[in-house]
């Protein structure tokens, strides 16, 4: 594991100890409560609306959304679409 990944794991571990949940979203179905779509990407392998990439992780504290995860979801349409 490289140094950056090690630091990130330690940071997420400390957040968890403080009661902050880091939303793990890749390959889950898009949920308006937890996620914000910043783009869509044509992908025939995954069901439409599946999260393909997380650009910014989301955080939850005591059941309250601190920040929605910013994600790119699959689409059956043409190329990448940016809102």
């Amino acid at each position: 594991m490289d140094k950056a990944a090690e630091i990130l794991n330690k940071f997420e571990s400390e957040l968890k100890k403080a009661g902050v949940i880091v939303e793990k979203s890749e390959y889950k179905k898009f949920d308006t409560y937890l996620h914000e779509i910043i783009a869509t990407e044509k992908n025939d392998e995954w069901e439409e609306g599946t999260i393909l990439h997380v650009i910014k992780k989301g955080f939850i504290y005591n059941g309250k959304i601190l920040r929605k995860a910013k994600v790119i979801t699959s689409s059956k349409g043409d190329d990448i679409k940016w809102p």
Side-chain angles (χ1 to χ4, degrees):
M1 179 183 304
D2 69 354
K3 191 68 172 172
E6 186 178 321
I7 291 169
L8 181 59
N9 284 339
K10 175 115 175 101
F11 179 68
E12 287 184 4
S13 174
E14 292 300 315
L15 285 174
K16 187 175 181 178
K17 287 179 190 176
V20 176
I21 298 169
V22 178
E23 172 62 25
K24 305 288 185 190
S25 301
E26 280 189 324
Y27 307 111
K28 291 184 180 177
K29 189 73 175 162
F30 171 76
D31 180 341
T32 57
Y33 180 72
L34 299 172
H35 312 113
E36 178 183 339
I37 296 175
I38 61 166
T40 61
E41 181 178 305
K42 183 178 179 182
N43 188 301
D44 294 325
E45 295 178 31
W46 293 94
E47 181 182 345
E48 191 162 32
T50 300
I51 297 168
L52 300 176
H53 309 285
V54 177
I55 304 305
K56 285 189 174 183
K57 293 181 180 183
F59 299 97
I60 303 168
Y61 179 68
N62 288 337
K64 182 178 178 188
I65 302 296
L66 298 177
R67 179 174 78 185
K68 289 184 176 187
K70 298 190 185 306
V71 300
I72 297 175
T73 61
S74 62
S75 171
K76 300 297 179 193
D78 290 331
D79 220 350
I80 295 176
K81 297 177 186 164
W82 299 90

